[in-house]
């Protein structure tokens, strides 16, 4: 891994990093990847990865929940008339 | 009041017999909190309505409608939602966040009339093994004069119970986050079967691993809490109906000695061997077993968990709730918010997760980790055809000093080397106090059992408590 890789990952993850933080992360990543790469030596059957958890759907109908819209609205960092206000996307 | 030796059963009985009220009991804990919390920093907030909750509980008891947990003061980890209360996951990004609903486990405990005394400190977003990554300061281990970590990530809950600032507590586990602090603070910690307890209302870290887990001073206390929170919930599609299974009559214990040949503290090993001898004398059959795939549990965990973390934590963007830092455009706002809100360990895991999921590395890491996870699950399935329990030390070392391992992520991760197999395989495991080091720090052993065999774990736990 190079410092450019850390920069690219930080861009994907939407995190701003200082030069020092990038350098620290690079050395942390090397340590951690060096540890976890031991799984590459494990011999396993060539199975499709098993995803034991399957989606359970419910009918698309209105059900009551105990959320209060007031409590939710109060959490919006910025809002107008009970709507969350977002920055311009385009 | 002798809080040190108080159990849920005893307190509950005294309240039923009219010898104690919940208000008195909660007041006694509040007095301890007043004296100790400033120093230990176990609680991030003590709820201002806990005496009101206690009054309500006293009414229920007076009307003879109480259960075992009615009026019992419980500490709640700061990643479990309680409607109308702040919940921060010990992160700056949620500093002023107020929960808009009760977590499933909170609803269950509310029905029992339990008293929520406060929210406890933890590693930020439950990422850590020492409660040092909290944005709100470290929690100290009540043992040995405040120089040691309580373990983590549920370190605040563990320290609260161990210092008599709560009778019992809820934590959460993704990989050892209850068993490891239980071990460091001399408590019982149970990691339930994955799916036994709903994750609804828990701030998610690794969805395929997270599980709410109880702390108690005794096996019975942990059992009472577990019984109160277990159950299927339609709002968590991975929760299941708990089908109680038990096969303990004699109880055959397998020990994978090869997993702890190196890197384990001498006192931990000698205490573990003593515990094995005690169990032999008590009539348990003990056999050697090999778990060649389980050896890779922690490495597998440190691929799957960060992958789940990096997707889960993308929701913290400063738009709908939590911290917002204004930037020049939408992307810049996201970046500024997330950089200001997330601590170093959280960023590390988000970056690591983004890497293992990225094109070109996905097969080598994430996909391979899932295959290894599957092999580990199969290995346990096979092993439990032969033995009822698997026994290991809970942690490779006793509690370490505050400040240690903070700059060495891999050394910190290795604290959970014996925790990881149960989380990866989704099986239940219990951590039990097994003595003390020469310096007076708690030691612990753990038993793992097959899915839905919690009752067997409680039984062997009680036997082990009895022969100490």
């Amino acid at each position: 891994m190079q410092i450019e890789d850390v920069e690219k990952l930080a861009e994907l993850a939407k995190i701003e990093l200082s030069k020092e933080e990038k350098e620290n992360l690079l050395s942390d990543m090397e340590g951690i990847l060096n540890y976890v790469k031991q799984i590459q030596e494990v011999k396993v059957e060539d199975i499709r990865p098993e995803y034991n958890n399957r989606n359970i759907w419910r009918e698309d109908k209105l059900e009551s929940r105990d959320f209060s819209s007031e409590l939710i609205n109060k959490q919006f960092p910025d809002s107008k008339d009970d709507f969350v206000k977002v920055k311009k996307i385009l | 009041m002798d809080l040190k030796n108080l159990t849920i059963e005893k307190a509950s009985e005294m309240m039923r017999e009219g010898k104690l009220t919940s208000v008195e009991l909660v007041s006694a804990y509040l007095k301890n909190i007043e004296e100790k919390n400033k120093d230990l920093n176990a609680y991030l907030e003590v709820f201002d309505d806990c005496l009101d909750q206690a009054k309500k509980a006293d009414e229920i008891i007076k009307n003879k409608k109480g259960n075992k947990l009615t009026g019992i003061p419980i500490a709640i980890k700061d990643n479990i939602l309680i409607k109308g209360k702040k919940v921060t996951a010990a992160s700056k990004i949620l500093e002023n966040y107020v929960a808009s609903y009760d977590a499933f486990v909170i609803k269950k405990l509310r029905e029992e009339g339990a008293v929520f005394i406060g929210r406890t400190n933890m590693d930020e977003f439950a990422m850590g093994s020492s409660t040092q990554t909290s944005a709100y300061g470290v929690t100290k281990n009540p043992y040995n004069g405040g120089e040691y970590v309580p373990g983590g990530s549920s370190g605040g809950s563990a320290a609260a119970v161990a210092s008599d600032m709560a009778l019992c507590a809820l934590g959460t586990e993704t990989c050892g986050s209850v068993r490891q602090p239980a071990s460091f603070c001399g408590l019982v910690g149970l990691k339930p079967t994955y799916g036994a307890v709903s994750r609804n209302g828990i701030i998610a870290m690794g969805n395929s691993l997270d599980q709410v887990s109880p702390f108690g001073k005794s096996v019975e206390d942990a059992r009472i809490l577990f019984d109160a929170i277990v159950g299927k919930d339609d709002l968590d599609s991975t929760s299941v109906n708990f089908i109680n299974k038990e096969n303990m009559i004699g109880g055959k214990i397998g020990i994978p000695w090869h997993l702890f040949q190196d890197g384990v503290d001498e006192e931990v090993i000698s205490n573990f061997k003593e515990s094995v001898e005690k169990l032999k004398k008590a009539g348990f059959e003990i056999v050697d077993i090999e778990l060649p795939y389980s050896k890779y549990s922690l490495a597998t965990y440190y691929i799957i968990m960060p992958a789940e973390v990096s997707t889960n934590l993308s929701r913290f963007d400063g738009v709908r709730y939590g911290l917002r830092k204004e930037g020049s455009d939408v992307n810049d706002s996201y970046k500024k918010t997330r950089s200001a809100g997330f601590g170093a360990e959280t960023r590390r895991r988000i970056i690591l997760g983004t890497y293992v999921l990225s094109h070109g590395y996905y097969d080598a890491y994430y996909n391979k980790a899932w295959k290894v996870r599957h092999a580990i699950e199969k290995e346990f399935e096979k092993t439990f055809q032969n033995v009822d329990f698997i026994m290991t030390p809970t942690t490779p070392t006793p509690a370490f000093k505050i400040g240690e391992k903070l700059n060495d992520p891999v050394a910190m991760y290795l604290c959970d080397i014996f925790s990881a197999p149960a989380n990866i395989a989704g099986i239940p495991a219990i951590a039990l106090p097994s003595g003390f080091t020469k310096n007076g720090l708690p030691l612990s052993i753990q038993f793992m059992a097959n899915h839905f065999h919690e009752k067997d774990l409680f039984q062997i736990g009680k036997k082990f408590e009895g022969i100490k």
Side-chain angles (χ1 to χ4, degrees), chain B residues 159-425:
Chain B
V161 178
S163 61
D164 297 316
M165 294 197 280
L167 183 43
C168 54
L170 286 188
T172 60
E173 271 221 17
T174 310
C175 182
S177 276
V178 162
R179 282 168 291 153
Q180 189 253 17
S183 160
F184 282 10
C185 293
L187 301 171
V188 174
L190 172 82
K191 200 290 280 184
T193 303
Y194 182 79
V197 183
S198 167
R199 291 176 296 108
N200 175 249
I202 309 305
I203 297 177
M205 175 183 167
N207 313 51
S208 75
L209 299 147
D210 295 343
Q211 197 67 182
V212 180
S213 307
F215 284 104
K217 285 188 287 188
S218 66
V219 173
E220 179 62 8
D221 281 6
R223 187 196 67 78
I224 293 170
L225 260 182
F226 171 71
D227 272 6
I229 60 173
V230 70
K232 185 174 160 54
D233 172 16
D234 286 341
L235 296 178
D236 172 3
S237 59
T238 61
S239 84
V240 291
N241 276 315
F242 190 81
I243 310 145
N244 180 47
K245 292 183 180 171
E246 54 181 305
N247 49 9
M248 189 167 129
I249 299 162
K252 192 169 164 189
I253 302 168
I255 303 182
W257 289 103
H258 69 104
L259 290 184
F260 32 98
Q261 267 166 355
D262 319 296
V264 182
D265 180 272
E266 266 178 42
E267 281 191 278
V268 169
I269 281 290
S270 67
N271 173 270
F272 180 76
K273 285 179 180 163
E274 278 167 32
S275 303
V276 173
E277 284 310 311
K278 282 180 193 169
L279 287 157
K280 258 186 206 164
K281 272 189 199 147
F284 286 95
E285 186 189 349
I286 300 195
V287 295
D288 289 358
I289 53 166
E290 301 266 339
L291 299 170
Y293 285 111
S294 298
K295 197 174 103 185
Y296 297 99
S297 296
L298 192 71
T300 305
Y301 172 76
Y302 271 96
I303 294 167
I304 291 171
M305 172 276 297
E308 295 182 12
V309 161
S310 74
T311 44
N312 264 324
L313 270 61
S314 63
R315 76 189 66 179
F316 298 103
D317 54 8
V319 175
R320 286 160 301 160
Y321 43 74
L323 182 80
R324 173 187 286 188
K325 291 275 176 203
E326 293 296 339
S328 56
D329 58 19
V330 65
N331 260 321
D332 195 41
S333 292
Y334 291 157
K335 281 188 202 164
K336 287 212 158 53
T337 298
R338 289 164 66 79
S339 302
F342 291 140
E345 179 62 19
T346 304
R347 293 179 199 195
R348 208 176 269 147
R349 295 197 193 187
I350 292 173
I351 298 283
L352 179 62
T354 309
Y355 178 79
V356 299
L357 288 175
S358 63
H359 183 72
Y361 301 101
Y362 183 88
D363 272 333
Y365 289 103
Y366 188 73
N367 249 352
K368 184 66 188 266
W370 265 97
K371 287 179 187 174
V372 177
R373 184 178 195 174
H374 186 68
I376 294 167
E377 286 166 348
K378 291 274 167 222
E379 180 170 88
F380 276 110
E381 222 169 84
K382 224 174 103 196
T383 306
F384 285 123
Q385 287 171 3
N386 182 36
V387 300
D388 302 301
F389 302 102
I390 296 170
M391 181 182 169
T392 71
T394 307
T395 53
T397 68
F400 48 90
K401 287 201 166 156
I402 290 171
E404 264 178 50
K405 302 186 204 277
L406 256 186
N407 297 318
D408 187 350
V410 176
M412 186 70 88
Y413 300 168
L414 286 169
C415 292
D416 290 310
I417 185 97
F418 302 134
S419 313
N423 300 88
I424 287 292

Side-chain angles (χ1 to χ4, degrees), chain A residues 25 31 49 58 77 85:
Chain A
L25 264 171
R58 65 172 172 81
K85 214 169 140 186

Side-chain angles (χ1 to χ4, degrees), chain B residues 6-9 68 161 167-168 186-190 214-227 248 389 429-434 444-445 447 453-468:
Chain B
L6 195 65
T7 62
I8 296 176
E9 192 116 70
K68 274 194 179 146
V161 178
L167 183 43
C168 54
L187 301 171
V188 174
L190 172 82
F215 284 104
K217 285 188 287 188
S218 66
V219 173
E220 179 62 8
D221 281 6
R223 187 196 67 78
I224 293 170
L225 260 182
F226 171 71
D227 272 6
M248 189 167 129
F389 302 102
I430 195 165
L432 302 164
S434 60
S444 172
I445 58 160
F447 290 105
H453 282 262
E454 272 81 348
K455 211 165 176 183
D456 284 331
L457 291 176
F458 296 134
Q459 271 198 61
I460 198 168
K462 284 179 186 176
K463 286 224 164 143
F464 186 70
E465 268 178 348
I467 53 175
K468 256 189 292 177

